[in-house]
Amino acid sequence: MTIYDELKQRGLIAQVTDEEEIKNLINNGKATFYIGFDCTADSLTAGHFMALTLMKRLQMAGNKPIALIGGGTTMIGDPSGRTDMRKMLTREDIDHNAECFKRQMEKFIDFSDGKALMVNNADWLLKLNYVDLLREVGACFSVNNMLRAECYKQRMEKGLSFLEFNYMIMQSYDFYHMFQEYNCNLEFGGDDQWSNMLGGTELIRRKLGKDAHAMTITLLTDSQGKKMGKTAGNAVWLDPAKTSPYDFYQYWRNVGDADVIKCIRMLTFLPLEQIEEMATWQDSKLNEAKEILAFELTKMVHGEEEAQKAQNAAKSLFAGGADMSNVPTAELKEEDFRDGVVDILQVLVSAGLCNTRSEARRAVEQGGVTFGDEKVTDVKASYDKSVFAEGVLVKKGKKAFKKVTC
């Protein structure tokens, strides 16, 4: 099976500009391709998984990835899929975030010996002269076509800033620049980026002639990835300081029955033959599939040892075992206590099981909180500091656990 056929069978490809040319490029290891990552936070999330694993798959097939860090485009902000304008970040914040991204990407992509590149579009975008850009690039874009683009439509009613309106031009210029500087001939991106990506392909052809072969493929990266990347309103980070390996494992262990095989197919490196067999599994076997998914992805991000610890902790807890050695720990601070005691609402908030005291109150009132071996029914329940000396298991619902200490 060719790498292109594998991508299609894994359900990754949404649409392409020239399928035969793209097949020739990636099946023969001739693609130098890029995927962009805007630096809006100091960690990548589970929503970036498809992009990262795609880069790994294509590199294993002999193609050359370029990880484009969006140090310049982050200063503008991509309006795609958003209902409001992004928070403006400083150059220092963006540079810090870019460094964090690089460390995480190195777990997926081999950057040694020129096998892959990592570049930052701040290096060329921030040097552009505004009038020169308008003359050289702006003349290639039709405002009418831009306004019809899907990435802008949902923002038109609430308001689209002129700053954000320029994002398509900046992303298109990235492809144009890398085509010339790095022989980059292929761009991958999420399906909600199609208009932006076509802009780059068209810019290359208009500036360099119709024989300039630049291709575009869109994946289901953003629409599915953003859905995957969040749970209960919180991002699932690749940084273990922001999402522990246990919580990361639990996130994937708890995907819906309808999504588990899709996630295994898209995100893991398990053979397709094995996955097709798993697709016939039903009922309790789906839980086994979820454990496989969670283990494989946790191993990819945090290493096999941490994945095994997370799996052992999860099995121990769900089986009612007493081994809490690998359960994520939350430590109460001195200020959490009043006269040596702390109430259950503060325990839940400080442990990260609830975001607010109001949410914690609802969890208790709905009967979803357990402290040690006892269900908590009183929102005023309080505990002495000594109770936490060796750690106590606090549960919210069936799937959220923390060993709370002080």
Side-chain angles (χ1 to χ4, degrees):
M1 180 184 299
T2 67
I3 182 62
Y4 186 83
D5 289 338
E6 181 179 351
L7 294 182
K8 292 197 76 171
Q9 285 205 28
R10 288 184 181 274
L12 289 167
I13 296 179
Q15 51 194 335
V16 302
T17 51
D18 186 330
E19 187 170 54
E20 290 306 312
E21 182 69 22
I22 288 169
K23 280 183 182 180
N24 177 58
L25 286 175
I26 67 175
N27 288 341
N28 293 294
K30 297 178 181 178
T32 298
F33 67 96
Y34 95 90
I35 297 180
F37 301 82
D38 277 352
C39 316
T40 53
D42 59 1
S43 173
L44 296 166
T45 74
H48 293 105
F49 240 122
M50 268 187 272
L52 295 170
T53 55
L54 172 86
M55 297 176 89
K56 183 179 178 71
R57 290 184 210 282
L58 288 172
Q59 187 178 50
M60 290 169 63
N63 298 286
K64 184 175 182 177
I66 300 178
L68 175 63
I69 300 297
T73 41
T74 303
M75 299 190 79
I76 295 175
D78 182 3
S80 302
R82 298 186 61 85
T83 58
D84 55 5
M85 187 172 171
R86 268 185 186 154
K87 175 186 174 184
M88 299 286 282
L89 299 177
T90 67
R91 179 72 188 271
E92 291 72 24
D93 288 338
I94 293 170
D95 289 345
H96 169 73
N97 294 346
E99 283 300 313
C100 295
F101 278 22
K102 181 178 181 181
R103 291 193 295 271
Q104 293 172 355
M105 287 179 181
E106 287 172 343
K107 296 180 180 180
F108 295 83
I109 306 164
D110 181 4
F111 289 97
S112 66
D113 303 321
K115 296 174 185 173
L117 295 176
M118 181 173 291
V119 297
N120 189 328
N121 63 18
D123 293 341
W124 56 85
L125 292 182
L126 300 187
K127 296 176 182 178
L128 291 173
N129 176 283
Y130 183 61
V131 174
D132 288 345
L133 178 69
L134 291 178
R135 287 174 60 87
E136 182 180 3
V137 178
C140 298
F141 287 81
S142 160
V143 171
N144 290 359
N145 289 340
M146 292 173 74
L147 290 174
R148 284 193 290 267
E150 229 18 81
C151 59
Y152 292 143
K153 278 184 180 178
Q154 66 189 75
R155 287 295 305 280
M156 293 306 292
E157 287 187 13
K158 279 202 167 187
L160 178 72
S161 73
F162 183 71
L163 179 70
E164 295 170 294
F165 189 62
N166 281 271
Y167 192 91
M168 181 186 291
I169 295 177
M170 295 295 96
Q171 182 172 335
S172 300
Y173 189 86
D174 284 341
F175 198 5
Y176 172 61
H177 176 86
M178 289 190 293
F179 183 88
Q180 296 180 93
E181 291 295 318
Y182 306 113
N183 195 31
C184 178
N185 50 23
L186 185 59
E187 177 182 9
F188 284 82
D191 56 348
D192 63 354
Q193 293 285 314
W194 182 242
S195 299
N196 291 347
M197 295 165 67
L198 285 180
T201 304
E202 181 61 23
L203 177 61
I204 290 169
R205 289 174 178 165
R206 291 191 64 173
K207 296 296 294 182
L208 302 177
K210 63 181 180 180
D211 293 330
H213 292 284
M215 304 297 160
T216 299
I217 298 182
T218 68
L219 309 172
L220 301 180
T221 308
D222 284 350
S223 61
Q224 183 69 20
K226 287 173 183 175
K227 176 184 174 184
M228 289 177 179
K230 294 186 177 181
T231 178
N234 297 316
V236 179
W237 305 99
L238 304 194
D239 183 347
K242 297 168 79 72
T243 298
S244 71
Y246 172 81
D247 288 334
F248 188 84
Y249 177 94
Q250 280 297 97
Y251 171 72
W252 295 106
R253 171 62 181 78
N254 294 329
V255 299
D257 290 355
D259 292 328
V260 58
I261 299 301
K262 181 191 296 183
C263 289
I264 290 174
R265 189 177 284 117
M266 287 180 164
L267 304 179
T268 76
F269 286 80
L270 296 176
L272 282 167
E273 295 81 1
Q274 180 182 349
I275 298 171
E276 292 311 310
E277 179 188 347
M278 294 168 68
T280 66
W281 293 0
Q282 297 179 3
D283 303 324
S284 62
K285 290 285 284 183
L286 282 177
N287 287 329
E288 184 180 339
K290 292 177 186 181
E291 290 176 357
I292 292 171
L293 170 68
F295 184 84
E296 290 295 320
L297 298 191
T298 306
K299 179 176 70 173
M300 204 181 302
V301 175
H302 299 296
E304 188 163 2
E305 182 178 353
E306 290 298 329
Q308 194 63 62
K309 287 180 181 178
Q311 187 172 73
N312 291 344
K315 288 184 175 181
S316 175
L317 287 167
F318 282 112
D323 180 13
M324 294 198 297
S325 59
N326 295 315
V327 176
T329 300
E331 186 174 352
L332 297 177
K333 298 183 175 63
E334 193 64 40
E335 55 264 32
D336 291 325
F337 293 88
R338 297 289 183 271
D339 298 324
V341 298
V342 60
D343 64 45
I344 186 61
L345 305 186
Q346 190 60 47
V347 171
L348 291 167
V349 172
S350 296
L353 294 170
C354 294
N355 292 321
T356 65
R357 288 178 64 88
S358 296
E359 181 185 335
R361 176 183 292 273
R362 288 193 297 272
V364 172
E365 290 174 342
Q366 292 166 4
V369 175
T370 303
F371 188 93
D373 295 325
E374 297 181 359
K375 179 173 287 190
V376 181
T377 57
D378 183 1
V379 296
K380 296 182 179 179
S382 297
Y383 306 93
D384 188 81
K385 192 173 184 179
S386 61
V387 173
F388 302 94
E390 296 185 5
V392 59
L393 185 65
V394 180
K395 304 180 185 178
K396 189 193 78 168
K398 296 180 179 180
K399 300 175 180 178
F401 306 83
K402 283 288 177 70
K403 181 172 70 172
V404 183
T405 64
C406 68

